[in-house]
Structure formats: C-alpha cells, structure tokens
Amino acid sequence: MPQLKRQRTKTLKVKDNGRSADYVTANFIYGCLGGCRDSYCYVMRYNHDKVYINENTEQLLASVAKHADALAWPKRPNQTDPTYYTYDIGCSTDIGLHWKHYDWLQVFAFFRNHPTAKATFATKYVNDKLLDFDPQGKVRIRFSLMPQKMSDLVEPRTSKIADRIAAISRFIAAGYDVHVNFSPIIFCEGWLDDYRELFEQLAAAVTTPAHRAMVQAEAIMVTHNPWQHERNLAAGMTEAEAHLWRPDIQEHKKSGYGSSAVRYARGFKAQLCEEWLAVHDAVIPWNTVRYLF
Ligand code: SF4
C-alpha cells in the first residue's frame, strides 16, 4: 500500500497544457490510490509508492492567481473553454477520490470566485460529497468513460460506468460544468460494439438540448510503458495487461517526460481513431469531441 506523505511542496509552477485545459496547476496531491494504479495510469510510471499531500494550499492557489492575473482578458475562445482560462487541478491524482485528504472546498471556492480562471479535473469516481458545493459553473468535472467490460479489467474498484453516466445530470444540476473523458480507449475484439453500447447509454442519460450542448468530450488512445507493464504483471494484472501491452500493434515513442512509452502504431492508430469517431458520430452526434489522439 502506498504511503501517504504530508508536505509543503516547493513546486508551485503553473505549466502550459492546451489539451485538457489551458494550464496545469502545481500538484495539490501527487500520487493516487485509484483502482487503475496497477494498470494504465501514467502517474504511476513516475510515482507508484507514495501519495504526496501538499498542504500549502494557499501558496499553490496564490501561484494560480498570479499566473491568471498576468493573462490578457478577455480570453480568446479555444477548445478548452470559450470564456475562461482553464486550469487542470487533477493531472497527477483523482480529485474525486482524494477529497478527504485536502481542502478541496478552499480550492473549488477559489476558482468559483476568481473572475477569469476555471478549474477542471477528470475522475473515475462519483463522489456525491462534491454536490454539497455549488461552483456556479466554474469547476468542470470530466467523468472518464469506457465500456464496463474493459473497466472491470483495467480499473477495478472505481465507480461503475453506469454510475458515472448517471451522475452527469446530478452534477450539472448542482452547478458543475460537466464533460466526459473517453480515456483511455483500448482496442480489443468487439471494441466498436462495446463503444456503441456505451454511447447509447450516454444518449439515454443526457437528453436535454442544454445538457447535450454542455457535455463535450476528450478522447485518448491508450499508451503504456515497459517497466509499468512488468510491475503490473507482477501485481497479477495479467488479463488487463493482455489488452494494454500489445507489441503486435504498438510502437515505441518518446513520451513528453523523455522516457520510454508505447502507443498504437501510427497508421493503425489513425484507423482506430477514424473507426471510433464514426461510431461516436453515428450514435451521439451532439457530443462535441474536443480532441482525439
Ligand atoms: S484514478 Fe487517475 S490518477 Fe488515480 S490511479 Fe487511476 S488513472 Fe491514475
């Protein structure tokens, strides 16, 4: 079991992003106890043993305020948000899961009250505790979705996919901006049928035009890593690894951190993206895909 370590981080720098958000804040928490830690989680490639809880929340928020205050206003609209500058607050943990360990109310309230900055994070957990807070549209939660069959294998002990989908309307009603995060997309036999079913579930749950306009998506094909693969096998994740580690259809790439990673081979991946998007657009054409890669 990873060790929880409370500390005051000296790393306060806000980083550029441009995909899930305009920027990524320094970590409020670095590390995760999520059910996918012995599976595809990229955070675990660099930090598997500890969960660092950074207690200097005020300093971390001050760095966001300083960063946001230096940006031109109004913002030029982009795929992350038409109005606000977006900051991912959960790139190295799952905020929905770890809410107990830090002052999430202070962080959410900061973004709700800030005139130009908006928070966003992806989660695999439905945490109704977060419904006690009304972020007035200034916190975006991105529920991660994949077919339940695959979720059972690669992200055990996370919220059921049906529960994540059912949570969308509740979180919108509570004042959250809600998107979905089709990530990671994992190719397997029958995957397009499984995704068709998932899209149909989403269509049945998100029915009003206003909600359909709000709930946009991001979609990311799985990547993996050699030492993570070995460790996952040692942890007994054999069945999951049979899907995650596919040397027959994957190729090496240099990851953003300069370390070794694998992804679906370029031409094959392009074909997968095209097939996935065709099914997506046939079933839920209202769901804007912000990016797919
Ligand atoms: S919930 Fe996210 S951060 Fe946590 S283990 Fe899973 S993928 Fe990693």
Side-chain angles (χ1 to χ4, degrees):
M1 194 63 176
Q3 200 191 336
L4 284 184
K5 206 168 173 322
R6 296 193 167 271
Q7 64 173 19
R8 292 179 68 79
T9 183
K10 293 195 172 76
T11 309
L12 302 172
K13 195 170 161 38
V14 171
K15 292 187 186 152
D16 290 346
N17 183 261
R19 274 191 172 141
S20 68
D22 293 312
Y23 305 103
V24 176
T25 66
N27 293 320
F28 296 96
I29 299 178
Y30 176 44
C32 191
L33 301 172
C36 13
R37 49 179 282 106
D38 290 320
S39 176
Y40 54 71
C41 174
Y42 68 86
V43 178
M44 299 303 138
R45 293 175 198 171
Y46 311 99
N47 173 30
H48 186 258
D49 300 334
K50 294 195 176 60
V51 179
Y52 296 94
I53 315 287
N54 293 327
E55 294 188 316
N56 44 334
T57 310
E58 266 161 30
Q59 271 184 305
L60 286 158
L61 291 175
S63 80
V64 177
K66 190 170 168 209
H67 184 273
D69 291 347
L71 299 170
W73 189 256
K75 169 189 156 168
R76 186 175 299 183
N78 61 11
Q79 62 83 11
T80 84
D81 197 85
T83 309
Y84 298 109
Y85 288 110
T86 49
Y87 290 80
D88 202 317
I89 60 172
C91 268
S92 303
T93 193
D94 191 302
I95 297 281
L97 175 64
H98 292 290
W99 65 283
K100 261 190 191 163
H101 295 296
Y102 84 117
D103 194 349
W104 66 277
L105 270 174
Q106 187 184 357
V107 176
F108 283 23
F110 167 86
F111 283 98
R112 179 187 60 194
N113 299 335
H114 196 281
T116 65
K118 173 173 180 170
T120 175
F121 65 95
T123 185
K124 298 178 174 72
Y125 291 87
V126 177
N127 180 354
D128 280 354
K129 190 73 196 158
L130 304 185
L131 297 172
D132 295 345
F133 180 82
D134 175 5
Q136 296 170 12
K138 294 291 296 308
V139 175
R140 173 183 300 151
I141 187 160
R142 310 185 324 266
F143 286 109
S144 294
L145 300 180
M146 69 165 65
Q148 183 63 57
K149 264 196 279 186
M150 186 59 81
S151 176
D152 287 340
L153 284 181
V154 301
E155 43 184 45
R157 303 184 308 284
T158 57
S159 296
K160 291 291 175 201
I161 298 297
D163 294 338
R164 299 182 211 175
I165 291 176
I168 292 172
S169 299
R170 290 207 307 283
F171 275 76
I172 294 175
Y176 286 84
D177 184 27
V178 180
H179 283 196
V180 291
N181 171 6
F182 294 111
S183 163
I185 299 175
I186 301 168
F187 168 77
C188 66
E189 204 183 319
W191 72 299
L192 288 176
D193 293 335
D194 297 341
Y195 269 99
R196 179 178 295 278
E197 206 176 299
L198 177 66
F199 298 146
E200 284 167 355
Q201 277 177 273
L202 190 58
V206 181
T207 52
T208 68
H211 287 191
R212 288 185 168 192
M214 176 194 285
V215 180
Q216 299 185 23
E218 56 200 339
I220 307 166
M221 295 276 161
V222 71
T223 64
H224 206 17
N225 165 286
W227 68 77
Q228 192 174 22
H229 169 59
E230 294 301 330
R231 192 178 55 212
N232 292 351
L233 285 179
M237 297 289 284
T238 327
E239 220 182 326
E241 283 303 312
H243 293 289
L244 297 171
W245 184 256
R246 294 286 308 270
D248 54 326
I249 50 173
Q250 286 168 327
E251 66 184 10
H252 281 271
K253 68 158 189 166
K254 209 78 178 149
S255 84
Y257 292 88
S259 64
S260 181
V262 297
R263 66 171 167 219
Y264 294 128
R266 189 176 291 264
F268 182 62
K269 183 177 161 183
Q271 181 195 325
L272 294 181
C273 288
E274 204 177 301
E275 290 172 357
W276 183 91
L277 196 59
V279 177
H280 171 279
D281 288 354
V283 183
I284 45 173
W286 48 266
N287 179 233
T288 301
V289 177
R290 291 167 44 207
Y291 57 88
L292 161 65
F293 65 93

